[in-house]
């Protein structure tokens, strides 16, 4: 990594960019992934590059949902693995969710590299990379329609971070309970999901890991069900937009 001074006002943001550039050099990330990140960054800037109370509440509901599900799955793409491979593996360990690779710009080479990266970070089984257990999401044209029979196909809950709207809508039609992490509260994905965490995945995953650990120690079925059923994504999205529109961010001009 190049030397980014610790006292640089945008040090975290610059370090995150470097993770993606490194992912691009390893061919885990596609060039389009850098552009997608740029869109996310713009929303993050407007949100104040912080986890809002709304995002925290969404993470609590999301963790409750994962822990209450019988077959939860975390779907990952190139950007997600370049940014947070270790955290994906940790969240999978704690919640029992399996991890499935699902790429928009799908290629066998990238699948192999992403699988390797996840395994190097401690994941034992990676779903979504085998042709013999493939099923198809009805009504979806992109290569993202290919899913694993033992993974997303039979799941009840799917986490779809940094996702495109087409597949989110198609998974919703299949009756899946959907959770996303997406900085854009206006995206089709954020609108169609049951729980949308409007936060940077870099901040969201470590927070979700600590919430899930805490729930496993201290929480019970009834409390988690209340948290899940009490969550209203429409309010969450409109309040997140209100924060952006209010222009409350004043601390950073660079
Ligand atoms: O690895 P592949 O081939 O599957 O391709 C992955 C990308 C991300 C290129 C692909 O899925 C894509 O084009 O996604 P979209 O349609 O641009 O959607 C990505 C969404 O994630 C946008 O709404 C962004 O605002 C949001 N986003 C980008 N970076 C972050 C983010 N949300 C949270 N944290 C981020 N770091």
């Amino acid at each position: 990594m190049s030397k980014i001074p610790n006292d640089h006002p945008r040090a975290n943001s610059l370090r995150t960019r470097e993770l993606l550039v490194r992912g691009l050099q390893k061919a885990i990330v596609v060039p389009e992934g850098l552009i997608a990140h740029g869109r996310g960054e713009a929303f993050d800037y407007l949100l104040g590059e912080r986890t809002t109370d709304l995002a925290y509440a969404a993470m609590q509901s999301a963790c409750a949902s994962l822990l209450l599900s019988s077959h939860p799955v975390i779907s990952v793409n190139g950007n997600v693995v370049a940014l947070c491979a270790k955290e994906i593996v940790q969240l999978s360990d704690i919640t029992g969710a399996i991890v499935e690779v699902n790429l928009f710009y799908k290629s066998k080479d990238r699948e192999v590299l992403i699988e390797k990266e996840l395994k190097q970070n401690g994941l034992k089984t990676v779903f979504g990379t085998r042709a013999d257990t493939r099923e198809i999401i009805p009504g979806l044209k992109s290569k993202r329609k290919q899913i694993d029979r033992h993974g997303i196909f039979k799941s009840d809950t799917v986490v779809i971070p940094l996702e495109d709207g087409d597949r989110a809508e198609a998974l919703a039609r299949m009756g899946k309970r959907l959770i996303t992490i997406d900085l854009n509260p206006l995206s089709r994905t954020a609108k169609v999901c049951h729980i949308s965490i409007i936060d940077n995945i870099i901040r969201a995953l470590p927070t979700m890991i600590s919430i899930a650990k805490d729930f496993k120690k201290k929480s019970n079925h009834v409390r988690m069900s209340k948290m899940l059923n009490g969550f209203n994504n429409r309010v969450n999205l409109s309040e997140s937009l209100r924060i952006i529109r209010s222009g409350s961010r004043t601390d950073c001009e660079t």
Side-chain angles (χ1 to χ4, degrees), residues 112-171:
V112 168
L113 289 167
I114 288 171
E115 178 164 14
K116 195 171 138 211
E117 186 77 15
L118 288 165
K119 287 193 167 162
Q120 276 171 356
N121 280 279
L123 192 67
K124 290 195 183 65
T125 312
V126 178
F127 288 77
T129 56
R130 284 174 50 183
D132 60 337
T133 53
R134 191 171 285 160
E135 296 284 347
I136 297 293
I137 302 178
L140 189 62
K141 293 213 171 67
S142 75
K143 287 196 175 165
R144 285 200 133 167
K145 66 183 172 200
Q146 298 173 357
I147 52 174
D148 197 298
R149 184 174 309 143
H150 308 296
I152 291 174
F153 187 72
K154 81 165 200 194
S155 66
D156 48 358
T157 300
V158 198
V159 186
I160 47 171
L162 285 59
E163 176 78 21
D164 75 274
D166 281 359
R167 191 174 73 127
E169 286 174 355
L171 288 171

Side-chain angles (χ1 to χ4, degrees), residues 28-148:
I28 286 175
V29 171
V30 283
E32 291 84 349
L34 303 187
I35 300 168
H37 183 73
R39 174 155 51 185
E41 259 192 5
F43 280 99
D44 204 13
Y45 191 87
L46 294 169
L47 278 162
E49 292 169 321
R50 68 197 159 97
T51 297
T52 63
D53 291 346
L54 289 163
Y56 190 82
M59 287 182 223
Q60 287 182 309
S61 300
C63 288
S65 174
L66 288 173
L67 291 169
L68 291 171
S69 295
S70 352
H71 194 73
V73 175
I74 306 171
S75 176
V76 297
N77 62 29
N79 281 39
V80 170
V81 171
L83 291 174
C84 323
K86 190 175 82 195
E87 290 78 8
I88 290 286
V89 178
Q90 283 175 2
L91 189 64
S92 153
D93 274 352
I94 296 160
T95 59
I98 64 175
V99 178
E100 178 162 338
V101 179
N102 182 276
L103 304 178
F104 187 80
Y105 301 99
K106 189 177 167 80
S107 78
K108 193 67 215 163
D109 288 353
R110 281 184 74 219
E111 279 179 353
V112 168
L113 289 167
I114 288 171
E115 178 164 14
K116 195 171 138 211
E117 186 77 15
L118 288 165
K119 287 193 167 162
Q120 276 171 356
N121 280 279
L123 192 67
K124 290 195 183 65
T125 312
V126 178
F127 288 77
T129 56
R130 284 174 50 183
D132 60 337
T133 53
R134 191 171 285 160
E135 296 284 347
I136 297 293
I137 302 178
L140 189 62
K141 293 213 171 67
S142 75
K143 287 196 175 165
R144 285 200 133 167
K145 66 183 172 200
Q146 298 173 357
I147 52 174
D148 197 298

